[in-house]
Amino acid sequence: MCATELPRIMDLDTAYIEPLIKEWLQHVHEDNARQEQIFVEGSEFFNPFIAVPVPVMKAIFVITDHLGLGPNTRYLTVHLFDRFMSNQFCELYVAEMVSNPGEVAWPQICKIISSEAKLRLMSCMQLASKMDSHTKGLSISQVVRGLRWLDDKSEYTTNSIYCSEFRVYKALDFKIPLFTPLHCVEILLAATKLGQMPKIYDACVNLLDLAYLEHERLYSCLVFLMKQRFSEFQIDPGYIMALESNVLYLAAAVVLCATFILAVEHSETERLVQMLSNQVGIRVTNIWEMANLLFTIALQEDTPEQ
């Protein structure tokens, strides 16, 4: 747990924001529905988190922490880099198919992507920092510091950094998500009137960090439980991808798990999970499952090795 309380994105005084909560939730629901439709139809080449394995995720967390950026910036960086890398791969693949329809030169494609990855990662972080706070957006000198930490053998000019940022923004179709899981956590804390509970916000941020760093483990366990429960059915891959991208589902599980960490009475957690279910439109059982998995991982992370 952090020694000092982390700054929040929004004021969680419910008297101030309560009139907006319903509209915020409706917007996130609509965005989730659009994303789920894309996955079910397979209309876009995108597989969530495929471009951000654990080493990349850890690098993002370390650099954002070193540069004094908040948790929302690191989550947004992960999503922008993941989306950009998928778009770039698809673009290069299509170009290669057009120029060499008989055989795709995979080594060449991988070489191009790898050679640009570090600069593109910092460009995603630069965009994320500006989206999170226009007054605290990464400067060129800070981007250079991050690049030196990632790759001290290469030199990057100011012009190359400017061009890379525009290249990434254009590849993202000039679209950046308005909501991250942290926004959703704050909305749910306000909706359930838990926002003023001591230490709950820091607990939620720590659990979100863990959910990102242990993403593959968390969701593979979740899918395993689903397959056990519905063994006679084939789970659609599009549904699983939609599940991984459902920020409200993750946020609800994080808020519930935080009450486990803070030892809230069981009767209160039962009431809370029903409230969360009503707010996010996900069954109580599913929220319990995700929260319990996250709690188990958190306990294992805190247990010293023998």
Side-chain angles (χ1 to χ4, degrees):
M1 194 69 71
C2 300
T4 58
E5 187 174 352
L6 293 166
R8 305 184 181 194
I9 302 173
M10 60 179 75
D11 183 353
L12 295 185
D13 181 357
T14 52
Y16 172 66
I17 66 170
E18 191 164 12
L20 304 173
I21 292 173
K22 185 176 179 180
E23 291 185 13
W24 283 337
L25 283 168
Q26 182 181 349
H27 177 79
V28 181
H29 276 298
E30 290 171 355
D31 192 61
N32 275 342
R34 283 193 297 270
Q35 192 67 57
E36 184 174 353
Q37 190 68 21
I38 288 170
F39 288 130
V40 171
E41 294 175 351
S43 55
E44 286 186 15
F45 177 79
F46 181 60
N47 192 340
F49 289 86
I50 197 169
V52 278
V54 174
V56 174
M57 193 84 74
K58 286 183 176 178
I60 291 171
F61 276 51
V62 169
I63 295 171
T64 51
D65 185 60
H66 179 69
L67 296 175
L69 300 171
N72 201 55
T73 298
R74 60 177 171 257
Y75 306 142
L76 191 51
T77 300
V78 169
H79 289 282
L80 293 181
F81 187 68
D82 191 30
R83 174 67 73 171
F84 169 77
M85 292 297 281
S86 293
N87 288 356
Q88 186 186 37
F89 177 85
C90 185
E91 180 183 300
L92 291 172
Y93 176 79
V94 171
E96 184 66 21
M97 284 290 289
V98 171
S99 59
N100 298 299
E103 183 178 353
V104 178
W106 291 111
Q108 184 66 18
I109 291 177
C110 293
K111 185 177 180 181
I112 293 172
I113 292 175
S114 178
S115 66
E116 300 175 344
K118 297 180 180 69
L119 179 56
R120 304 306 188 218
L121 174 60
M122 289 307 301
S123 293
C124 290
M125 194 175 295
Q126 196 174 10
L127 288 168
S129 68
K130 292 176 180 178
M131 184 68 180
D132 197 28
S133 172
H134 71 279
T135 60
K136 297 181 180 179
L138 283 185
S139 65
I140 295 297
S141 61
Q142 288 176 305
V143 174
V144 170
R145 279 168 55 195
L147 286 167
R148 283 176 180 164
W149 187 83
L150 286 169
D151 181 8
D152 59 1
K153 295 179 181 178
S154 301
E155 291 291 330
Y156 297 93
T157 65
T158 298
N159 187 58
S160 68
I161 293 171
Y162 277 128
C163 290
S164 177
E165 184 183 17
F166 182 77
R167 168 77 176 83
V168 168
Y169 198 25
K170 183 178 180 182
L172 295 169
D173 198 22
F174 304 104
K175 295 176 183 177
I176 297 179
L178 288 175
F179 287 92
T180 68
L182 185 54
H183 287 111
C184 296
V185 163
E186 293 196 356
I187 292 170
L188 292 177
L189 286 176
T192 55
K193 304 189 185 306
L194 288 174
Q196 305 309 318
M197 179 184 289
K199 298 184 179 180
I200 194 164
Y201 185 79
D202 287 356
C204 286
V205 171
N206 289 334
L207 288 168
L208 263 182
D209 283 352
L210 184 64
Y212 270 74
L213 292 168
E214 297 287 345
H215 175 88
E216 184 176 354
R217 180 181 172 191
L218 177 63
Y219 282 88
S220 62
C221 288
L222 195 64
V223 171
F224 176 76
L225 290 176
M226 290 169 55
K227 288 181 176 178
Q228 278 194 320
R229 192 163 62 245
F230 305 108
S231 56
E232 68 275 21
F233 298 106
Q234 181 70 32
I235 300 176
D236 181 58
Y239 174 78
I240 295 172
M241 288 189 284
L243 199 67
E244 290 184 84
S245 295
N246 191 327
V247 289
L248 277 175
Y249 183 23
L250 176 59
V254 163
V255 170
L256 181 60
C257 187
T259 65
F260 301 166
I261 299 291
L262 299 177
V264 174
E265 290 185 11
H266 184 68
S267 59
E268 282 299 305
T269 60
E270 286 189 326
R271 182 184 64 84
L272 172 64
V273 72
Q274 187 61 62
M275 289 176 63
L276 290 169
S277 177
N278 293 338
Q279 295 286 353
V280 303
I282 295 170
R283 289 187 300 178
V284 166
T285 305
N286 293 343
I287 298 174
W288 273 114
E289 280 183 346
M290 171 85 88
N292 282 326
L293 285 171
L294 192 54
F295 185 62
T296 300
I297 294 172
L299 288 179
Q300 291 171 349
E301 288 292 311
D302 286 341
T303 303
E305 294 184 4
Q306 299 296 322

